[in-house]
Amino acid sequence: MKNAVLSGGIIGILSIIWIFAMPRLGVMPQKDVVSPAEYFSFIIPAIGLFFGIMSYRKNDCNGQMGFLEALFQSFKILIVGGIIAVFGSILYISYVSSSGDNIKDFSERIFGALIVGVLLAFAVSLLFANKANKLD
């Protein structure tokens, strides 16, 4: 669990930094419009999951890890990171954003991040799974 908290914490903190940096870069969530800069936010969970699962396989699994084990660890990492990112989003919406910002626009982005995170979890789990599980 230590690895999940560390990797998820890194994802969450980087996500909060991204949420607070977007307006400074001139990117604000708008209804039905996605800025090209917003597409780069998927790099945060991709890198966090990649290094988190790589570290987990190396340190906790002695280099051997099955797909389901990697997927379960990926979901733990994403849950920790997601909780931190949602908390940061709530703080941003409550205290920093202007009255023109809509909470619905942010919630759509968070839901999109959930979908991307699940897809990345499957991809990273497939990438690092190297132990065959027999179903006899």
Side-chain angles (χ1 to χ4, degrees):
M1 189 69 185
K2 178 182 171 185
N3 182 58
V5 171
L6 180 64
S7 299
I10 291 170
I11 290 173
I13 290 169
L14 290 176
S15 296
I16 289 173
I17 291 170
W18 180 257
I19 289 167
F20 281 85
M22 279 192 335
R24 301 219 190 299
L25 299 172
V27 178
M28 290 301 299
Q30 298 173 359
K31 183 177 177 76
D32 299 330
V33 178
V34 179
S35 168
E38 288 182 89
Y39 288 115
F40 289 106
S41 64
F42 85 93
I43 293 172
I44 296 169
I47 291 173
L49 279 174
F50 181 84
F51 287 112
I53 297 300
M54 184 173 67
S55 170
Y56 179 72
R57 183 176 81 172
K58 179 182 174 188
N59 298 327
D60 296 339
C61 298
N62 297 323
Q64 296 293 317
M65 181 172 55
F67 173 74
L68 291 177
E69 190 176 7
L71 188 62
F72 186 66
Q73 185 69 17
S74 296
F75 285 149
K76 288 194 296 186
I77 292 170
L78 288 175
I79 287 170
V80 172
I83 289 170
I84 295 170
V86 167
F87 179 72
S89 297
I90 292 169
L91 288 177
Y92 178 80
I93 291 168
S94 298
Y95 299 111
V96 178
S97 69
S98 64
S99 61
D101 295 337
N102 189 352
I103 193 166
K104 184 177 178 229
D105 294 330
F106 274 91
S107 64
E108 290 171 356
R109 289 342 192 249
I110 295 295
F111 182 73
L114 170 69
I115 300 296
V116 168
V118 168
L119 292 173
L120 287 171
F122 277 103
V124 170
S125 298
L126 283 172
L127 183 67
F128 283 104
N130 61 357
K131 181 173 72 172
N133 292 334
K134 293 184 181 181
L135 296 174
D136 289 333

